[in-house]
Amino acid sequence: MTGHRRAEAAALLAAGGAVAFTGAGISQESGIPTFRDPGGIWDRFDPDEYGTWEGVARLAMERPDDLASFLAELRAAFAGAAPGPAHRSLVELERAGLLDAVITQNVDGLHQEAGSERVVEVHGSFSRTSCLACGHREAATRSEFLEGLDRAILGLRAAFVPSMASLLPRCSRCGGPARPDFVAFGEAPHDLAEAETLARGSRVLLVVGTHGEVFPAGALPDAAREAGATVIEVSRGDTHIGADLRLRGEAGRVLPPLVREALSGPRS
Ligand code: ZN
């Protein structure tokens, strides 16, 4: 990254009205392996089976040991994660009034854990449950999510699984079975209209750690640009994002000095 490009990006951010759009790269730096890469979870567990709600329900009945192995990997992936410098930089930018919201494709809740206030999670979140009976959504901490996984893994490894519902946490409103509120393969994204409105209404869309390959969320940078926003992209390599300004490097190394420069005020 050249200092000149960073100064240009910092000046754009310093003017306010930015929205961030984040993806797997920012979580990976925080200890969560990317699921889609070679050797990742979706390389070893067929997403048609393990990544859909129907598939998981079938596995629970027919191959509980395989599902338990998958959930144990998922647990390992999320247990060791913590917000990193990139998450914290976005919090600073929001607290300074220069960032209106974070739109994220990640389901790990790390933006909220870092302190971001307005987070739109288009692929849902493991930090919430959604009741299969009444639809009620409620917040769950990461430790509650991990405890839920532990219970499910224990249940699956027991001799007999009476039903999928027996493995799930209970809704506080109706007592029905509740599932983690992530968007599974083949399901519609959450809050996409809100994300589009935010992206199109932004002055600057700060795209961090995403290849822009997963649609429809991947279309947000183009939508923002068409609406007149400047798109700044922070990533380690080439992506499909149509950006006006590209800053190369790890988000955790690029964002802190960029945000510091933006917060130091307009330069003459
Ligand atoms: Zn309920």
Side-chain angles (χ1 to χ4, degrees):
M1 173 176 59
T2 68
H4 171 71
R5 269 196 214 154
R6 184 167 86 203
E8 201 180 335
L12 284 162
L13 291 173
V19 167
F21 176 49
T22 69
I26 197 169
S27 291
Q28 189 182 18
E29 291 175 23
S30 283
I32 295 179
T34 52
F35 285 21
R36 292 167 188 276
D37 287 345
I41 283 185
W42 295 140
D43 201 22
R44 287 170 295 127
F45 294 91
D46 181 359
D48 287 338
E49 283 191 295
Y50 293 88
T52 68
W53 193 245
E54 296 73 19
V56 164
R58 201 165 45 240
L59 284 164
M61 296 297 107
E62 294 170 5
R63 287 155 52 207
D65 283 336
D66 289 346
L67 181 58
S69 303
F70 171 72
L71 294 182
E73 287 239 9
L74 206 59
R75 192 197 191 289
F78 285 94
H87 294 99
R88 288 192 289 274
S89 292
L90 295 178
V91 175
E92 281 180 57
L93 212 51
E94 184 181 34
R95 288 188 180 154
L98 301 181
L99 184 79
D100 295 336
V102 176
I103 303 166
T104 187
Q105 300 167 91
N106 302 330
V107 298
D108 48 48
L110 290 179
H111 285 297
Q112 292 94 326
E113 218 169 303
S116 286
E117 294 286 339
R118 187 166 183 197
V119 183
V120 179
E121 297 167 303
V122 288
H123 291 163
S125 178
F126 284 124
S127 58
R128 236 182 2 246
T129 58
S130 143
C131 176
L132 292 170
C134 77
H136 177 60
R137 284 178 174 182
E138 54 194 301
T141 63
R142 196 143 53 94
S143 58
E144 285 169 337
F145 167 65
L146 295 174
E147 283 162 24
L149 279 179
D150 286 339
R151 275 196 305 276
I153 291 165
L154 271 176
L156 288 165
R157 287 185 173 151
F160 171 69
V161 180
S163 71
M164 180 67 193
S166 70
L167 302 170
L168 295 172
R170 298 282 130 187
C171 168
S172 70
R173 185 189 277 173
C174 78
R179 59 168 271 189
D181 196 27
F182 66 94
V183 173
F185 282 82
E187 292 180 335
H190 289 176
D191 305 322
L192 193 63
E194 185 186 1
E196 272 168 6
T197 303
L198 281 166
R200 298 181 72 91
S202 67
R203 278 188 60 258
V204 175
L205 189 72
L206 180 60
V207 182
V208 185
T210 176
H211 293 288
E213 281 170 336
V214 181
F215 285 86
L220 288 172
D222 281 342
R225 230 166 154 214
E226 276 167 30
T230 303
V231 174
I232 301 173
E233 183 209 39
V234 177
S235 72
R236 288 191 300 179
D238 292 332
T239 71
H240 293 83
I241 307 287
D244 299 289
L245 200 55
R246 296 180 201 278
L247 306 180
R248 287 282 177 259
E250 285 187 14
R253 290 179 186 276
V254 174
L255 284 185
L258 172 63
V259 166
R260 263 198 306 279
E261 195 165 338
L263 297 186
S264 70
R267 33 193 68 236
S268 51

